[in-house]
Amino acid sequence: MDFELNETQLAVVDGINKICADFPDSYWLEKDNKHEFPHDFAQAVCDGGYFGIMMPEEYGGAGLGYTEAALMMQAIAESGACMAGCTSIHVNIFMPGAIRKHASPEQKERWISRLMTLQDRAAFCVTEPGAGIDTTHITTRAEWNAERQRYLISGQKVWISVAQQANKIMVLARTTPLEKTSRPADGLSLFYTDLDRDYVDVQLIDKMGRHAVDSNAVFFDGLPVRKEDLIGEEGRGLEYLFSSLNAERILAAAECVGMGRAALRRASDYARERVVFDRPIGKNQAIQHPLAANWCQLEAANLMMLKAAWLYDNGKSCGVEANAAKWLAAEAGFDACQQAIMTHGGMGYAKEYHVERYLRELQILRIGPIPPPLMLSFIAERQLGMPKSY
Ligand SMILES: Cc1cc2nc3c(=O)[nH]c(=O)nc-3n(C[C@H](O)[C@H](O)[C@H](O)COP(=O)(O)OP(=O)(O)OC[C@H]3O[C@@H](n4cnc5c(N)ncnc54)[C@H](O)[C@@H]3O)c2cc1C
């Protein structure tokens, strides 16, 4: 068993760390305060060639695996960029997973290099207010209009990241009504198309954190979509999405560990420097022990994340491990951020010490892309043999 990162993996982390060094905590605090999208950061990562980390070499990508991609996102989160940094580039890098696996060669030719070079910026539109995590019950529909030779998409999505910036969307919509399918998961189709604001209204959601990257309610009113923009076969969209869910959980786990480590680094620095009762607060075991426990939890979660990534990259089943990694990492990261605030005392509540921002951003990955009860239900069912509970 080899726990060392290989040369390529070390080079990815090193290269990303060098880029992130130009975007310190003060940059992210300012972006958060001003609600400004971090365009220069996204451009720097793109210019470094990292948008193609997992794209096939024939399309100009590096052809690496999810292990390398997860290490890259972890390094970004760990730099203090947190979810603002990660989600400013997420969709362009990872959404093509569905494109890479299920799009036609003509579509790949049309789409991949524009995403990798940031000529296109994409938003990922799945969640709906009426369906929640039960994606089979989405009601956004795409109806084929024979006269116009277009699908017309109508409906509503919610919580869609970067839709203020995007000119492209990947959208899941019903092409066959639920009552006419033999299984609820059938009859949903996946499209990658232009975000034409004549037919799509994007409304900003005021939220708790990650103010640098917008979240939106998105309303579709007959968006016309060419057949050429349907990914794979009509009716199999959910199957295509589900095929990348484990990868999404692995990335989320890596990012949670990164944010937790950033919080722990700040907490340990503060504990060494802050003197109260004539001694550094870090000399007290009541300060040391919770932080040491945070470290243990984060590193254990990281090992599970790396195991899940290794299984995924080697074509092995990894559903249980990917869910376990995401659950462990989100809880460990949250605990570390919370403990970092407590270690700072009153200063933990001040924005200039950054740990409150880390906590606000980590909370996103406790909620999504899948919340804790559903991951635990999955593990109970698949690993422990209990009946399906949802
Ligand atoms: C900042 C942010 C960015 C996001 N970006 C995107 C994006 O770009 N694109 C996109 O499509 N979505 C996005 N999302 C949506 C996110 O993926 C969802 O919020 C998440 O999947 C949870 O769905 P929901 O909010 O509808 O919760 P609901 O489904 O309404 O669930 C509410 C609560 O009930 C619990 N629950 C539900 N069913 C059960 C059950 N059977 N047993 C126990 N508990 C249950 C859930 O765990 C949850 O805690 C984003 C969300 C946030 C907050």
Side-chain angles (χ1 to χ4, degrees):
M1 204 171 290
D2 184 356
F3 285 93
E4 299 277 4
L5 300 188
N6 66 31
E7 269 182 34
T8 307
Q9 292 161 349
L10 287 169
V12 167
V13 173
D14 186 50
I16 281 290
N17 281 341
K18 285 192 175 120
I19 292 173
C20 290
D22 292 334
F23 299 91
D25 273 309
S26 53
Y27 170 88
W28 294 106
L29 177 58
E30 190 183 339
K31 291 289 173 201
D32 196 55
N33 284 340
K34 292 186 174 169
H35 294 222
E36 261 175 23
F37 194 85
H39 283 292
D40 34 6
F41 170 77
Q43 192 62 55
V45 178
C46 177
D47 292 345
Y50 291 96
F51 275 35
I53 186 162
M54 288 183 338
M55 285 302 112
E57 286 165 276
E58 60 193 294
Y59 295 101
L64 298 176
Y66 268 94
T67 308
E68 288 74 22
L71 290 168
M72 165 175 139
M73 299 315 289
Q74 185 170 75
I76 290 173
E78 195 171 334
S79 76
C82 297
M83 289 312 288
C86 292
T87 51
S88 71
I89 59 174
H90 249 175
V91 183
N92 272 55
I93 298 176
F94 300 113
M95 192 186 62
I99 294 177
R100 198 184 57 213
K101 281 193 199 159
H102 305 291
S104 68
E106 181 276 325
Q107 290 175 325
K108 289 182 193 170
E109 202 64 58
R110 229 169 356 113
W111 296 336
I112 289 182
S113 83
R114 291 184 62 85
L115 280 164
M116 277 185 352
T117 51
L118 249 182
Q119 290 173 80
D120 286 335
R121 187 186 293 283
F124 184 58
C125 305
V126 174
T127 306
E128 293 192 8
I133 37 178
D134 184 1
T135 312
T136 59
H137 280 71
I138 64 164
T139 53
T140 294
R141 61 194 188 283
E143 284 166 1
W144 179 247
N145 182 308
E147 200 179 313
R148 293 173 65 182
Q149 287 293 294
R150 295 282 187 277
Y151 288 98
L152 301 180
I153 298 185
S154 295
Q156 184 188 348
K157 300 285 179 181
V158 73
W159 282 118
I160 307 309
S161 303
V162 306
Q164 299 285 336
Q165 323 291 331
N167 64 322
K168 287 279 185 181
I169 42 169
M170 182 171 281
V171 55
L172 187 71
R174 250 205 189 279
T175 37
T176 307
L178 186 57
E179 58 279 10
K180 290 193 179 158
T181 57
S182 46
R183 297 181 320 143
D186 293 338
L188 293 158
S189 301
L190 199 56
F191 300 89
Y192 180 70
T193 193
D194 293 336
L195 199 175
D196 183 341
R197 287 169 203 269
D198 287 344
Y199 301 90
V200 182
D201 184 25
V202 178
Q203 293 180 11
L204 194 66
I205 298 173
D206 196 11
K207 62 188 192 298
M208 173 178 172
R210 203 199 66 181
H211 296 305
V213 176
D214 50 278
S215 300
N216 306 279
V218 177
F219 301 85
F220 294 84
D221 185 12
L223 174 72
V225 178
R226 300 183 305 157
K227 203 150 218 162
E228 290 83 343
D229 290 351
L230 168 72
I231 296 177
E233 284 175 41
E234 191 181 293
R236 295 184 61 190
L238 198 60
E239 177 193 326
Y240 300 156
L241 268 192
F242 280 2
S243 71
S244 54
L245 286 189
N246 288 331
E248 197 181 31
R249 295 180 188 7
I250 292 166
L251 294 170
E255 291 164 1
C256 288
V257 170
M259 283 184 272
R261 283 178 178 166
L264 206 49
R265 185 175 63 229
R266 282 201 162 265
S268 318
D269 288 350
Y270 194 79
R272 276 192 301 273
E273 288 157 18
R274 172 73 173 159
V275 174
V276 181
F277 293 116
D278 296 326
R279 57 203 238 146
I281 57 168
K283 214 170 171 188
N284 302 304
Q285 290 180 345
I287 292 283
Q288 290 183 357
H289 288 185
L291 295 176
N294 292 141
W295 183 89
C296 298
Q297 287 158 356
L298 283 169
E299 295 312 310
N302 197 46
L303 288 177
M304 183 61 89
M305 182 280 289
L306 288 170
K307 179 178 177 186
W310 181 87
L311 290 168
Y312 189 98
D313 285 340
N314 285 282
K316 295 173 192 284
S317 158
C318 69
V320 168
E321 290 79 1
N323 277 281
K326 158 70 167 64
W327 182 76
L328 287 166
E331 299 308 306
F334 182 75
D335 289 348
C337 290
Q338 204 160 224
Q339 197 58 41
I341 291 178
M342 296 308 287
T343 306
H344 282 75
M347 288 308 167
Y349 212 64
K351 289 197 170 188
E352 73 172 287
Y353 285 84
H354 302 287
V355 285
E356 63 80 37
R357 175 170 56 83
Y358 298 174
L359 181 88
R360 285 186 284 121
E361 300 206 7
L362 195 131
Q363 183 64 21
I364 297 170
L365 285 184
R366 286 185 88 212
I367 297 168
I370 180 170
L374 272 288
M375 289 179 282
L376 296 177
S377 291
F378 180 88
I379 291 167
E381 182 194 339
R382 300 297 172 93
Q383 186 64 25
L384 305 178
M386 296 191 210
K388 185 168 176 163
S389 62
Y390 55 94

